[in-house]
Amino acid sequence: MMHRLPDGGWPVMLTPYRDDLSIDFEGVDEYTDWLIELGAAGLFTVSLSSEMYDLSSNEQLALARHVRERAAGRVPVVASATMRGDWRAQAD
């Protein structure tokens, strides 16, 4: 059975940083909640048009997981599957 993604706006999320250039996860929480409250149909995090290439693979995965957990099923979350390295590592 094929599931359809919700129609509507899917904002590309920017990543908030702290002064030391670590991900500001409190800011991510506020931003996630704000986008959902504004009516986003879904969220696109760790996207090709953001700063994903400035994040390590571990940071990319942590950010995607964090947004998914914060959204808590309120909206679907999609993250980019295009990262550095071998395609087998990307699939993992």
Side-chain angles (χ1 to χ4, degrees):
M1 179 176 184
M2 181 183 259
H3 296 279
R4 229 184 112 112
L5 294 174
D7 291 332
W10 284 68
V12 172
M13 297 183 72
L14 300 175
T15 305
Y17 290 95
R18 298 189 181 282
D19 289 339
D20 66 0
L21 299 181
S22 63
I23 297 172
D24 178 356
F25 285 106
E26 290 175 6
V28 171
D29 290 344
E30 292 174 13
Y31 187 37
T32 301
D33 292 342
W34 182 69
L35 290 170
I36 292 169
E37 289 167 12
L38 288 175
L43 300 174
F44 188 22
T45 189
V46 191
S47 57
L48 289 173
S49 61
S50 72
E51 57 291 322
M52 70 172 272
Y53 291 110
D54 294 330
L55 300 172
S56 69
S57 295
N58 287 339
E59 289 172 318
Q60 292 172 357
L61 291 171
L63 178 58
R65 284 185 188 116
H66 190 91
V67 171
R68 184 196 69 216
E69 289 170 6
R70 185 65 182 197
R74 294 178 286 169
V75 298
V77 175
V78 175
S80 178
T82 305
M83 297 190 259
R84 301 175 198 88
D86 182 73
W87 67 267
R88 288 173 283 274
Q90 292 179 35
D92 285 343

